[in-house]
Amino acid sequence: MKPDHRITFFRFFSFSGLLLLSSLLISSPTFANPHEYLLDNGLKLIVKQDHRSPVVVTQIWYKAGSIDEVNGVTGVAHVLEHMMFKGTEKVPNGEFSKKIAAAGGRENAFTSYDYTAYYQQLHKRSLPMAMELESDRMRNLILTEEEFSKEIKVVMEERRLRTEDQARALLYEKMMTMAYQSHPYKNPIIGWMNDLENMRVGDAQEWYDRWYAPNNATLIVVGDVDADEVFKLAQKNYGTIQKRPLLPINANANHKLSHPRLAPKG
């Protein structure tokens, strides 16, 4: 039986095409290694240059999530995430989102077991504004009883809607409780309803004071930017924020947290 040269020809050029495509992708600037910096106050900065479109995404990740909560105040990490949009002296309640929207951008936040993060996606020319807004609320957030009392009700309704009214979510919650009986993962990120009902604004303030510091955060910027220019921008906006003393993860003898990393305020 004679070999089918058409198949051999097709296989050769298919393989060659795959190698060429892989080479182009690997050599593309989009896949270049990110640039990493460390500010004097401990803030880590990671910049990924991608010049395909004039868009930028900036994120701030705090190394604090529901794993760091103590029984009785479960859900406080997520509650504070909501409260972070309630304003500072410089940027009143609601103005943060309005400014981002006016620039044609979008923003949101999310809380997980091990971290809490905030992000903005917008045109590259608005990156200085976004970074100024985000750095301002890292240490200047104003928490009031009035705003907290309204927002905690929003969070409780979110729990009812996404967990208590969803059979699959309830099953997952019970499964995590059984699987992690001696680990903080046993508690839901949104918190137990009883804890939410009894939570006070002081709990959110204590969480904010304890965890929201530059040396407990990583700033990520991806998009049509110059890495060194982003570093200068980060220095300008975040560089003046004082770092706070960090504790080893197991240094919890005098702090009622599962895995404290920051010393208490004062």
Side-chain angles (χ1 to χ4, degrees):
M1 182 177 178
K2 293 183 179 180
D4 191 333
H5 296 292
R6 291 174 300 175
I7 296 178
T8 303
F9 179 84
F10 176 76
R11 287 176 176 173
F12 172 77
F13 278 96
S14 294
F15 181 71
S16 300
L18 182 61
L19 287 178
L20 177 61
L21 178 61
S22 300
S23 176
L24 290 173
L25 289 175
I26 293 173
S27 62
S28 170
T30 305
F31 291 83
N33 291 330
H35 301 262
E36 296 189 14
Y37 306 86
L38 184 65
L39 276 63
D40 292 339
N41 59 8
L43 178 71
K44 183 177 182 179
L45 170 64
I46 301 175
V47 182
K48 178 84 167 179
Q49 299 177 153
D50 184 346
H51 303 294
R52 291 177 295 176
S53 61
V55 178
V56 63
V57 175
T58 176
Q59 304 176 333
I60 187 80
W61 293 66
Y62 293 97
K63 292 180 284 185
S66 64
I67 191 176
D68 301 289
E69 298 167 349
V70 65
N71 291 337
V73 289
T74 61
V76 67
H78 176 246
V79 170
L80 182 62
E81 175 209 311
H82 280 238
M83 295 300 296
M84 284 288 283
F85 294 88
K86 296 303 179 179
T88 65
E89 182 177 347
K90 184 178 179 181
V91 183
N93 184 12
E95 287 300 310
F96 188 109
S97 298
K98 289 180 181 178
K99 289 178 179 293
I100 297 298
R106 61 175 183 171
E107 40 82 39
N108 212 327
F110 47 92
T111 304
S112 187
Y113 291 107
D114 304 287
Y115 55 80
T116 307
Y118 304 82
Y119 74 88
Q120 298 86 44
Q121 179 181 0
L122 64 181
H123 192 279
K124 65 178 183 179
R125 64 171 173 265
S126 299
L127 177 60
M129 177 197 67
M131 197 174 290
E132 181 181 357
L133 291 172
E134 194 64 76
S135 61
D136 177 45
R137 68 178 178 179
M138 175 180 275
R139 287 309 308 152
N140 299 317
L141 182 67
I142 298 176
L143 295 170
T144 66
E145 179 66 43
E146 179 183 4
E147 290 299 328
F148 180 84
S149 63
K150 291 187 291 187
E151 201 62 33
I152 195 67
K153 293 177 182 177
V154 173
V155 175
M156 286 191 285
E157 185 58 31
E158 181 181 342
R159 176 178 168 81
R160 294 187 189 99
L161 178 65
R162 297 186 177 182
T163 301
E164 297 180 0
D165 290 345
Q166 302 289 333
R168 180 179 297 181
L170 278 177
L171 176 61
Y172 178 78
E173 187 174 85
K174 293 183 182 298
M175 182 190 72
M176 293 294 287
T177 302
M178 294 298 295
Y180 294 99
Q181 296 183 35
S182 300
H183 191 280
Y185 279 3
K186 67 183 179 182
N187 296 318
I189 296 170
I190 199 168
W192 298 110
M193 183 61 82
N194 183 63
D195 289 345
L196 296 176
E197 291 172 342
N198 291 283
M199 193 174 294
R200 298 293 179 264
V201 65
D203 298 318
Q205 184 71 60
E206 181 181 355
W207 185 266
Y208 177 71
D209 292 338
R210 186 180 297 275
W211 299 109
Y212 281 59
N215 50 326
N216 196 46
T218 299
L219 176 63
I220 300 176
V221 179
V222 179
D224 189 15
V225 296
D226 176 85
D228 291 334
E229 291 300 317
V230 173
F231 175 66
K232 293 177 183 178
L233 199 59
Q235 285 274 38
K236 175 184 176 181
N237 288 282
Y238 288 94
T240 58
I241 303 175
Q242 296 296 314
K243 64 180 179 180
R244 303 190 61 212
L246 296 178
L247 297 178
I249 287 180
N250 62 350
N252 59 353
N254 298 317
H255 311 288
K256 298 178 181 179
L257 288 174
S258 302
H259 299 279
R261 300 187 185 95
L262 292 178
K265 185 178 180 180

